[in-house]
Amino acid sequence: MPRRKLIKERVPTPERPVEERVKDFGEVNLGYTFELAQKEAERCIQCPADYAPCIKGCPVHINIPAFIAKIREGDMKGALRVIWNDNVLPAITGRVCPQEDQCEGACVVGKVGDAVDIGKLERFVADYTREKGIDEELFQEMVSNRPERKEKIAVVGAGPAGLTCAGELAKMGYKVTIFEALHKPGGVLMYGIPQFRLPKEILERELDRLKRLGVELRTDHVVGKTITIKELLQEYDAVFIGTGAGTPKLLNIPGILSMRIYSANEFLTRINLMKAYKFPEYDTPVAVGDKIVVIGAGNTAMDAARSALRLGAEVTIAYRRGREDMTARIEEIGHAEEEGVKFEFFLNPIEFISDEEGKVKAVKFMKMRPLEERDSRGKRKIEPTGETVTLEADTVIIAIGLEPNRIITEDCDLETNPDGTFVVDENLMTSTPGVFAGGDAIRGEATVILAMGDGKKAAKSIHEYIQSKKAS
Ligand code: FAD
Ligand code: SF4
Ligand code: SF4
């Protein structure tokens, strides 16, 4: 085969201009066209599958060179088939995976130039096949001969872990019912990640497919309150828990009870789930002032900051460490900066100051300084300088982390770790036989693709568990 010339620079994806996109919640990145995708696909040097570092970097090990080869050939159904072998939600992961730490971070082309834009190519395959109806053809092919089984499975939580587990089990022929606490399914994909990063229509389509697979969805069901795990086990042959990590960590510092201090999850839920950004069309506004300080530096902080900016506020992100330790996706940090979000580093909040009505009006920070030593996560340790600084703020959003809620465990004896995550074995079974768990509920705050990977693995384990029980 003739050697190809290495193309070091990425084919950029078109984006909406900053001045236009900050006025609405429409999607920022427009994705590749067919021609641009084929051009970017040409940059892949087609490492053999048993060596390709990108495959090892992807948590669900998609055969990346194979799907990129199909793009080059113009065989989009073939490309989607390769991706669907390991990942049934590529339109979502192509948009939200932290690719720089996963598939793209490992790409060999990235050692000498820009890594192949695997995420955008994956998204392209999903979007293109959806627009042309090709994905529906493939879906019908995949589910046409599925068996019928009489066993019933309960899935608790309709985030990426629960939805994937439900979909996989339904494809195997099981009767699946999802119990979801909120009035809409999707988990963080619905209530957390904003429309400008992940259009909800994509999720709606996946939910529609689940329904057509016969999955029953019961919303407004808080398992642990409305119904318990013990009760579910009486009616169902197995249970999967995918309840995520949706409880915000808050700051235990003076002034925390001042008005207009939100957790990022509440703020984003009001915007995304309750559609505050469509007020007055939706009668559920969110109160924000003119100067907002967001505390944190992960995806949640970025989403909250960029949503606040679109509601017309001036936004500053304050982080106690330095830029290189921010955990948000690089693309989101870049977009936030382009859109005018300001960043302040090495500031650790120590007090919220409120006005005579009790509304927050400023945040006092301790200035920190970095040390040479690194902690167990590889981040540079920091120490207080003794100097303080105060930033004016009429609204504060706290995005310093999340942990699992403990509602389910209030009424059953599932073993948990001190941080509230469920203890599971290598098959994702909890301490109670027949009850499995995955996603953020076992990992703490993690990623969409890891949650989906767990959902798929748990479905396989549940199938094996049921079959072995039948055989015994
Ligand atoms: P979740 O998505 O949290 O879903 C859990 C579901 O269970 C929810 O619908 C919840 O209402 C329901 N539930 C909880 N308790 C009960 C109960 N007792 N009974 C019934 N239902 C219950 N990851 C990325 O990979 N890329 C990103 O860009 C990214 N951005 C993020 C932005 C934000 C704002 C947040 C909060 C997270 C982000 N993440 C991102 C992390 C990612 O979204 C999560 O890792 C992922 O959603 C976990 O999936 P899950 O299914 O385990 O849980
Ligand atoms: Fe990369 Fe995520 Fe797709 Fe895997 S699922 S190839 S990590 S974008
Ligand atoms: Fe292509 Fe990069 Fe994967 Fe090699 S590592 S197969 S160049 S995407």
Side-chain angles (χ1 to χ4, degrees), residues 61-246:
H61 308 304
I62 294 176
N63 190 337
I64 294 164
F67 95 73
I68 293 182
K70 294 286 179 194
I71 298 179
R72 295 222 279 238
E73 290 162 21
D75 175 6
M76 295 308 154
K77 192 170 178 180
L80 186 64
R81 187 180 279 119
V82 173
I83 297 173
W84 271 7
N85 271 335
D86 303 291
N87 170 6
V88 285
L89 302 174
I92 295 172
T93 49
R95 283 171 167 84
V96 306
C97 262
Q99 287 98 3
E100 62 268 20
D101 300 326
Q102 300 180 343
C103 52
E104 293 173 19
C107 171
V108 288
V109 177
K111 308 288 178 241
V112 286
D114 299 333
V116 174
D117 203 338
I118 302 166
K120 294 288 187 321
L121 288 175
E122 182 174 296
R123 165 188 167 167
F124 165 74
V125 172
D127 290 357
Y128 182 89
T129 52
R130 187 174 70 239
E131 274 158 32
K132 306 282 178 203
I134 300 169
D135 65 340
E136 190 55 30
E137 269 173 45
L138 191 59
F139 175 71
Q140 293 301 342
E141 276 173 31
M142 286 171 77
V143 300
S144 57
N145 286 323
R146 71 194 164 111
E148 274 234 13
R149 299 180 199 271
K150 63 176 180 16
E151 291 88 357
K152 291 161 65 185
I153 322 287
V155 169
V156 184
L163 295 177
T164 308
C165 186
E168 293 296 317
L169 287 165
K171 279 189 230 155
M172 291 180 218
Y174 290 103
K175 297 187 170 31
V176 185
T177 306
I178 304 181
F179 295 83
E180 164 57 46
L182 296 174
H183 66 276
K184 273 196 168 188
V188 172
L189 306 178
M190 183 60 84
Y191 76 75
I193 302 180
Q195 181 81 7
F196 55 78
R197 265 206 314 132
L198 179 64
K200 302 302 162 223
E201 304 76 66
I202 292 171
L203 186 58
E204 299 288 0
R205 191 174 165 104
E206 299 306 330
L207 293 168
D208 177 60
R209 278 219 185 103
L210 276 188
K211 281 184 203 149
R212 286 192 283 133
L213 278 173
V215 173
E216 189 194 343
L217 191 62
R218 295 195 198 160
T219 50
D220 300 315
H221 275 68
V222 183
V223 174
K225 299 277 180 206
T226 325
I227 187 164
T228 64
I229 295 286
K230 280 182 190 152
E231 285 166 339
L232 287 177
L233 277 175
Q234 283 162 18
E235 198 184 331
Y236 295 87
D237 296 278
V239 176
F240 174 75
I241 301 177
T243 44

Side-chain angles (χ1 to χ4, degrees), residues 160-438:
L163 295 177
T164 308
C165 186
E168 293 296 317
L169 287 165
K171 279 189 230 155
M172 291 180 218
Y174 290 103
K175 297 187 170 31
V176 185
T177 306
I178 304 181
F179 295 83
E180 164 57 46
L182 296 174
H183 66 276
K184 273 196 168 188
V188 172
L189 306 178
M190 183 60 84
Y191 76 75
I193 302 180
Q195 181 81 7
F196 55 78
R197 265 206 314 132
L198 179 64
K200 302 302 162 223
E201 304 76 66
I202 292 171
L203 186 58
E204 299 288 0
R205 191 174 165 104
E206 299 306 330
L207 293 168
D208 177 60
R209 278 219 185 103
L210 276 188
K211 281 184 203 149
R212 286 192 283 133
L213 278 173
V215 173
E216 189 194 343
L217 191 62
R218 295 195 198 160
T219 50
D220 300 315
H221 275 68
V222 183
V223 174
K225 299 277 180 206
T226 325
I227 187 164
T228 64
I229 295 286
K230 280 182 190 152
E231 285 166 339
L232 287 177
L233 277 175
Q234 283 162 18
E235 198 184 331
Y236 295 87
D237 296 278
V239 176
F240 174 75
I241 301 177
T243 44
T247 306
K249 292 181 188 159
L250 290 173
L251 286 161
N252 188 14
I253 58 174
I256 183 69
L257 295 179
S258 310
M259 283 187 274
R260 291 251 182 109
I261 299 181
Y262 295 96
S263 71
N265 257 27
E266 178 189 347
F267 184 72
L268 288 168
T269 302
R270 281 169 179 264
I271 292 177
N272 297 318
L273 193 68
M274 308 307 292
K275 300 272 185 278
Y277 72 95
K278 287 192 172 168
F279 177 78
E281 188 191 329
Y282 283 74
D283 195 14
T284 40
V286 61
V288 286
D290 300 324
K291 268 191 178 200
I292 301 191
V293 167
V294 178
I295 298 170
N299 286 317
T300 314
M302 260 3 94
D303 284 344
R306 295 174 67 204
S307 298
L309 194 93
R310 281 161 172 75
L311 297 177
E314 192 182 292
V315 184
T316 304
I317 287 186
Y319 182 40
R320 67 196 174 118
R321 297 176 186 273
R323 176 179 287 271
E324 79 271 14
D325 284 328
M326 294 174 79
T327 52
R329 295 178 76 231
I330 289 179
E331 187 179 13
E332 310 323 325
I333 299 171
H335 282 157
E337 276 179 324
E338 278 171 21
E339 290 167 5
V341 172
K342 292 186 201 129
F343 288 81
E344 293 280 352
F345 296 105
F346 296 110
L347 293 188
N348 195 23
I350 52 172
E351 185 182 352
F352 295 111
I353 302 163
S354 54
D355 63 15
E356 53 290 346
E357 289 174 7
K359 273 197 211 139
V360 70
K361 65 171 187 182
V363 190
K364 193 169 170 189
F365 294 91
M366 171 62 65
K367 280 194 179 181
M368 309 299 283
R369 75 171 138 248
L371 302 171
E372 284 308 315
E373 213 184 320
R374 294 188 181 260
D375 65 17
S376 56
R377 294 168 302 166
K379 294 185 179 201
R380 279 177 81 172
K381 288 190 174 171
I382 45 172
E383 68 174 9
T385 60
E387 203 184 325
T388 61
V389 62
T390 301
L391 297 183
E392 262 182 64
D394 53 18
T395 310
V396 174
I397 302 169
I398 301 174
I400 58 163
L402 299 158
E403 58 188 15
N405 73 63
R406 292 164 199 250
I407 301 172
I408 284 190
T409 43
E410 281 169 20
D411 211 1
C412 68
D413 41 21
L414 292 175
E415 201 183 322
T416 55
N417 295 303
D419 64 358
T421 52
F422 293 99
V423 174
V424 287
D425 67 13
E426 65 283 5
N427 299 317
L428 302 185
M429 188 147 84
T430 65
S431 52
T432 300
V435 180
F436 296 76

